[in-house]
């Protein structure tokens, strides 16, 4: 009897492992225990490494479903309980009730305290009503670290989904980390991060269903979430959302010395990013390069103003972005 019980237990365990493995590795080799009709797979290969990083970076995903007239049907949401990425085997299940959806729009990273979407009403709202935007903040100042925002969509489909079909949505990352280092030219001189004001100004806090910045997007003021002094340098990091090629002068990076309101740096960030685009990306359109890159390191080399008798004022002499030098400069850069 004991042997029989053990055989039964072992058999049950083997079946459980088989079903689990089948579901994770194949999805169409065995029955889905959640009775989903079809599935959605996500890829994030739109980066400078040209490899899929979805399983490394995305922990919450919202998919908005639309019919053949671009009328809103429903939203599907999934997120990991602990905020870790989904993993390589992740698929989102699509219930049979929504098998007639024709267009899918996905936003990753819609955490309500950081980034929100429009209130969509089934059978009433349309594709043009959908947007995602930064959560309201006083004076549009963002000075905290936020989850990355991702966007992806499918072209309108012509036929209904079949049982066990998989729809693939490729994502674009609408998010950057910007690290700024103030480095004195003379190693004997030191700077204090608290003596400076850092801000990146951009009207890029709201996106439509096509991942375009909306015409009514207000200017946001991205400020550091991290500030520190390190071996005489002042170092800060900040987040910003998607930088657009056609923003022109609206994407401005500023560093101001607080004591006398001296502008140490005030640059059109787009121009400098374009100047540092490596030759291997020479055939890549500028907007694609902006979308594939997600980190920018800006080095500002500074020295004391020789014309200031009190030697209290700093001036920028050289700028780097991602370790490439732009050019020498005698005074504050604009």
């Amino acid at each position: 009897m004991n042997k029989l019980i053990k055989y039964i237990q072992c058999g049950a365990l083997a079946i459980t492992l088989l079903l689990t493995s089948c579901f994770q590795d194949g999805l169409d080799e065995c029955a889905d225990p959640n009775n989903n009709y079809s599935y959605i797979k996500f890829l994030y290969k739109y980066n400078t490494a040209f490899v899929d990083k979805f399983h490394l970076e995305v922990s919450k995903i919202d998919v908005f479903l639309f019919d053949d007239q671009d009328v809103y049907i429903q939203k599907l949401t999934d997120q990991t309980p602990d905020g870790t990425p989904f993993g390589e085997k992740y698929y989102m299940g699509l219930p049979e009730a929504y098998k007639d959806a024709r267009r899918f729009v996905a936003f990753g990273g819609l955490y309500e305290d950081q980034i929100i979407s429009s209130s969509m009403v089934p059978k009433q709202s349309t594709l043009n009503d959908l947007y995602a935007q930064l959560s309201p903040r006083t004076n549009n100042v963002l000075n905290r670290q936020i989850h990355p925002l991702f966007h992806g969509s499918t072209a309108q489909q012509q036929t209904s989904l079949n049982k066990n079909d998989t729809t693939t949505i490729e994502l674009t990352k609408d998010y950057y980390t910007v690290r700024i280092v103030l480095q004195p030219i003379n190693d004997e001189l030191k700077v204090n991060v608290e003596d400076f004001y850092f801000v990146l100004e951009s009207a890029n806090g709201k996106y439509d269903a096509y991942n375009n910045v909306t015409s009514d997007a207000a200017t946001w003021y991205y400020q550091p979430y991290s500030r520190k002094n390190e071996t005489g340098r002042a170092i800060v990091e900040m987040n910003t959302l998607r930088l657009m090629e056609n923003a022109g002068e609206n994407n401005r990076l500023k560093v101001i010395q607080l004591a006398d309101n001296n502008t140490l740096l005030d640059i059109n960030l787009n121009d400098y990013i374009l100047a540092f685009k490596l030759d291997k990306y020479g055939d890549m359109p500028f907007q694609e390069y902006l979308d594939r890159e997600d980190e920018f390191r800006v080095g500002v080399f500074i020295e004391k103003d020789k014309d200031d008798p009190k030697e209290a004022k700093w001036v920028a002499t050289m700028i780097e972005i991602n370790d490439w030098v732009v050019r020498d400069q005698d005074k504050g850069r604009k």
Side-chain angles (χ1 to χ4, degrees), residues 33-198:
N34 296 317
N35 295 317
N36 286 305
Y37 183 80
S38 64
Y39 306 93
I40 306 171
K41 180 177 176 59
F42 304 93
L43 297 175
Y44 168 48
K45 298 190 297 184
Y46 208 63
N47 51 64
T48 53
F50 297 89
V51 297
D52 182 24
K53 295 184 177 181
F54 174 81
H55 63 287
L56 299 174
E57 300 197 22
V58 184
S59 57
K60 185 177 189 295
I61 197 78
D62 292 88
V63 179
F64 297 82
L65 308 177
F66 297 86
D67 66 15
D68 57 353
Q69 300 299 313
D70 286 340
V71 176
Y72 175 61
I73 299 174
Q74 189 55 269
K75 179 178 74 172
L76 304 178
T77 299
D78 198 5
Q79 69 182 91
T80 60
D82 56 359
T84 58
F86 282 111
E88 293 185 81
K89 304 294 184 180
Y90 178 75
Y91 288 74
M92 174 181 278
L94 182 70
E96 186 170 6
Y98 309 127
K99 68 179 182 179
D100 292 328
R102 295 293 187 273
R103 189 193 298 269
F104 302 168
V105 178
F107 282 104
L110 294 182
Y111 289 88
E112 294 299 311
D113 64 326
Q114 300 179 7
I115 303 172
I116 59 176
S117 63
S118 50
S119 298
M120 302 289 285
V121 181
K123 298 183 180 181
Q124 295 184 26
S125 301
T126 68
L127 187 71
N128 291 333
D129 296 319
L130 178 62
Y131 63 81
Q133 68 177 10
L134 286 166
S135 302
R137 291 173 174 81
T138 303
N139 298 323
N140 287 356
V141 172
L142 178 64
N143 56 6
R144 58 174 290 191
Q145 191 170 17
I146 62 172
H147 289 274
L149 175 67
F150 294 84
H151 170 273
S153 64
T154 62
Q156 189 164 342
Q157 300 176 19
Q158 301 303 312
T159 58
S160 298
L161 293 168
N162 297 315
K163 179 72 173 176
N164 291 328
D165 278 354
T166 297
T167 300
T168 299
I169 300 178
E170 297 200 20
L171 302 176
T172 297
K173 193 173 188 178
D174 293 349
Y175 171 95
Y176 305 90
T177 299
V178 180
R179 182 180 179 92
I180 305 172
V181 179
L182 298 186
Q183 170 68 60
I185 293 293
N186 189 331
D187 290 340
E188 296 178 357
L189 299 176
K190 299 182 184 302
V191 291
N192 187 338
V193 70
E194 300 303 328
D195 293 338
F196 299 91
Y197 169 75
F198 303 82

Side-chain angles (χ1 to χ4, degrees), residues 178-181 193 198 224 226-228 234-238:
V178 180
R179 182 180 179 92
I180 305 172
V181 179
V193 70
F198 303 82
S226 171
R227 308 166 64 94
K228 62 183 178 180
I235 302 174
V236 302
E237 283 191 7
M238 60 181 70

Side-chain angles (χ1 to χ4, degrees), residues 282-302:
D283 295 332
M284 184 183 294
F286 184 42
Q287 187 61 58
E288 179 180 346
Y289 177 72
L290 286 173
D291 290 338
R292 286 185 180 274
E293 185 61 83
D294 64 354
E295 294 181 348
F296 292 107
R297 300 174 297 281
V298 181
V300 184
F301 292 85
I302 60 179

Side-chain angles (χ1 to χ4, degrees), residues 201-219:
E201 300 176 0
S202 182
N204 66 346
K206 185 177 180 181
Y207 302 85
D208 62 20
Y210 304 95
N211 205 29
N212 296 314
V213 175
T214 62
S215 59
D216 63 341
T219 297

